[in-house]
Amino acid sequence: MSDNVKGALFALCGFAIFAVHDVLVRVVGGSFSPFQMLFFTSLLSFPLLTIVLVQDTTEGTMRPLHPWWVALRSLVMVGASICAFFAFATLPLAQVYAVLFMVPLLVTLMSIPLLGEKVGPHRAVAILVGLIGVIVVVQPGSAELSLGHLAAICAAFGAALQSVISRKIGNDERPIVMMLFPLLAIFVTMGTSLAFVYEPMALMDLVGMAGIAILGFIATFCLVAAYRKGEAAIVAPMQYSQILWATVFGSWLFNEHVTSPVLIGSGLVIISGLYIVAREAIGGQSSNKPVTRTRTRAFAPGGLRVSTLLKKRR
């Protein structure tokens, strides 16, 4: 079995685990606010994250070299996580994934002003096609448009911005800084909000939140293994397998049926994303590869950054 096949299989496994993670968010989110869920999942992520952080032997302090960028990234992570949890709790899974699939398109777009990269006409057209696909899914002006759709769109923008910021400062900042500050931001802001939104929890609810934290942690390390084994151009498109899991879990667990607009819009977004990945893959030695170098699912508690973990293990 080739390394690319192994990488693809690890990625498929990781995104399948993320799909189960999102199902748990949907189930638990039906009873609690995203603020309460994020507080407890981030709290339960601390022991897991500590295992990673204690292995950081790079010299330096915990003072960020780019404090304003780190602060912005942490705040964006907070907002994206809230929006993503709310979207998964209120919308059909397939609709949420269809909107979140535009993250690679937004990363390409944001890399122009923030990273100084160039986007040619081919990728510009792909971005436009992908955005049209999102419009088909969301159907603005329809009676079904809700806060959940707005939350999913905001989560996609937040995830893309967080990823671009990570690329901008990731080579300078210590891994412990990149991982710990977003988690602390989520923990502090969500803890403050508990005074207004807290609802008593049963033991099984707490178990569910622990499951969200553990599954996110395991899935992230599956992606680490995938990118260590396979080429980014092979691994990155595996994220689109989540639309299949959304169809299966949505129908089986929540009696959700994928509508024609969601299928058509998802197809447009996926085709545009795959085209951008293909363009980056055949770009030779060009550094203009914002999508294939963006490897993080940027709205899970803990803020584990795949590329940082890859760098730590080399």
Side-chain angles (χ1 to χ4, degrees):
M1 184 182 297
S2 69
D3 284 344
N4 276 337
V5 172
K6 292 178 182 177
L9 291 176
F10 272 119
L12 288 172
C13 182
F15 286 116
I17 295 172
F18 268 130
V20 179
H21 167 285
D22 298 333
V23 167
L24 274 181
V25 172
R26 173 70 182 273
V27 172
V28 180
S31 304
F32 303 99
S33 75
F35 300 93
Q36 184 168 340
M37 291 178 60
L38 278 167
F39 173 79
F40 282 99
T41 52
S42 63
L43 176 65
L44 295 166
S45 294
F46 266 115
L48 301 174
L49 190 57
T50 300
I51 298 173
V52 177
L53 296 182
V54 295
Q55 301 177 45
D56 181 12
T57 59
T58 56
E59 296 182 359
T61 68
M62 289 181 60
R63 179 180 299 175
L65 297 176
H66 305 277
W68 293 110
W69 283 115
V70 171
L72 178 59
R73 178 176 177 268
S74 299
L75 291 176
V76 169
M77 182 79 79
V78 172
S81 299
I82 293 171
C83 291
F85 272 45
F86 181 78
F88 278 117
T90 57
L91 289 180
L93 294 175
Q95 287 192 28
V96 180
Y97 284 134
V99 175
L100 294 180
F101 284 162
M102 74 173 178
V103 169
L105 312 178
L106 296 175
V107 168
T108 304
L109 198 59
M110 291 180 184
S111 68
I112 301 173
L114 292 180
L115 302 177
E117 296 188 344
K118 298 179 180 179
V119 174
H122 291 277
R123 274 181 277 197
V125 171
I127 292 171
L128 180 60
V129 171
L131 295 180
I132 291 173
V134 173
I135 292 174
V136 172
V137 172
V138 175
Q139 300 181 68
S142 71
E144 297 179 358
L145 192 62
S146 67
L147 285 177
H149 293 95
L150 179 60
I153 292 172
C154 289
F157 273 91
L161 179 56
Q162 185 275 143
S163 295
V164 174
I165 293 173
S166 294
R167 279 203 57 209
K168 187 175 184 67
I169 65 174
N171 289 332
D172 299 330
E173 297 288 357
R174 294 181 66 201
I176 189 172
V177 171
M178 297 293 289
M179 294 181 184
L180 188 58
F181 276 84
L183 182 59
L184 288 175
I186 291 175
F187 182 75
V188 172
T189 55
M190 298 303 101
T192 303
S193 72
L194 282 186
F196 307 97
V197 301
Y198 179 77
E199 294 288 343
M201 297 188 302
L203 177 60
M204 288 307 298
D205 296 322
L206 194 60
V207 170
M209 293 184 187
I212 292 171
I214 293 170
L215 289 173
F217 191 80
I218 295 173
T220 297
F221 275 90
C222 284
L223 295 188
V224 170
Y227 279 104
R228 291 183 69 195
K229 287 290 185 181
E231 298 175 25
I234 301 296
V235 174
M238 297 302 108
Q239 66 173 309
Y240 299 121
S241 65
Q242 290 181 299
I243 198 68
L244 301 177
W245 292 113
T247 303
V248 172
F249 287 140
S251 176
W252 178 36
L253 299 174
F254 307 114
N255 197 30
E256 298 171 354
H257 301 287
V258 181
T259 63
S260 296
V262 172
L263 284 175
I264 296 171
S266 298
L268 290 174
V269 176
I270 291 172
I271 289 171
S272 60
L274 290 175
Y275 183 78
I276 288 176
V277 169
R279 291 288 298 182
E280 293 187 5
I282 64 176
Q285 299 302 313
S286 172
S287 61
N288 185 25
K289 300 180 179 181
V291 173
T292 51
R293 294 186 181 183
T294 297
R295 299 162 177 170
T296 302
R297 196 180 195 249
F299 43 82
L304 290 175
R305 186 172 176 242
V306 172
S307 54
T308 299
L309 295 174
L310 284 169
K311 185 166 59 177
K312 283 167 59 61
R313 288 169 174 259
R314 284 174 183 165

